[in-house]
Amino acid sequence: MVGRVRRPAQNATGPYGALQAADANGIQPPAGFTSTVIARSRQTVPESTC
Protein backbone atom coordinates (compact mmCIF):
# COMPACT_ATOMS: atom_id res chain seq x y z
CA MET A 1 0.00 0.00 0.00
CA VAL A 2 1.40 3.31 -0.99
CA GLY A 3 0.78 6.28 1.27
CA ARG A 4 -0.44 4.32 4.31
CA VAL A 5 1.62 4.12 7.47
CA ARG A 6 1.32 0.94 9.48
CA ARG A 7 1.70 1.39 13.21
CA PRO A 8 2.35 -1.42 15.69
CA ALA A 9 -0.52 -2.57 17.89
CA GLN A 10 -1.00 -0.54 21.05
CA ASN A 11 -2.06 -1.72 24.48
CA ALA A 12 -5.49 -0.41 25.39
CA THR A 13 -8.13 -0.96 28.00
CA GLY A 14 -10.62 -3.54 26.78
CA PRO A 15 -14.25 -3.96 27.78
CA TYR A 16 -13.52 -7.10 29.84
CA GLY A 17 -11.27 -5.63 32.52
CA ALA A 18 -7.66 -6.17 33.47
CA LEU A 19 -5.88 -9.44 32.81
CA GLN A 20 -5.34 -11.72 35.79
CA ALA A 21 -2.21 -13.69 36.67
CA ALA A 22 -1.39 -16.57 34.32
CA ASP A 23 -3.47 -19.70 34.92
CA ALA A 24 -2.33 -23.35 34.73
CA ASN A 25 -2.25 -23.03 30.91
CA GLY A 26 0.02 -19.99 31.04
CA ILE A 27 -2.77 -17.75 29.69
CA GLN A 28 -3.89 -14.50 31.33
CA PRO A 29 -7.67 -14.26 30.96
CA PRO A 30 -9.71 -11.40 32.44
CA ALA A 31 -11.62 -12.07 35.68
CA GLY A 32 -14.56 -14.42 35.12
CA PHE A 33 -13.02 -16.14 32.06
CA THR A 34 -11.27 -19.50 31.78
CA SER A 35 -8.86 -20.84 29.18
CA THR A 36 -8.53 -24.07 27.25
CA VAL A 37 -5.54 -24.90 25.07
CA ILE A 38 -6.68 -26.60 21.87
CA ALA A 39 -3.34 -26.56 20.02
CA ARG A 40 0.19 -25.28 20.26
CA SER A 41 2.38 -24.26 17.36
CA ARG A 42 4.97 -26.74 16.15
CA GLN A 43 3.44 -29.61 18.14
CA THR A 44 1.90 -32.60 16.38
CA VAL A 45 -1.75 -33.16 17.08
CA PRO A 46 -2.34 -36.74 18.31
CA GLU A 47 -4.51 -39.02 16.18
CA SER A 48 -8.20 -39.07 17.01
CA THR A 49 -10.56 -42.03 17.25
CA CYS A 50 -13.49 -39.92 16.06
Side-chain angles (χ1 to χ4, degrees):
M1 288 182 219
V2 177
R4 290 192 71 173
V5 177
R6 291 191 175 225
R7 295 184 179 95
Q10 301 293 313
N11 290 334
T13 304
Y16 305 108
L19 299 180
Q20 304 301 302
D23 62 13
N25 295 319
I27 298 172
Q28 295 178 273
F33 287 77
T34 58
S35 71
T36 301
V37 176
I38 58 170
R40 292 201 183 265
S41 65
R42 298 183 185 185
Q43 290 186 0
T44 303
V45 176
E47 288 189 35
S48 174
T49 58
C50 296

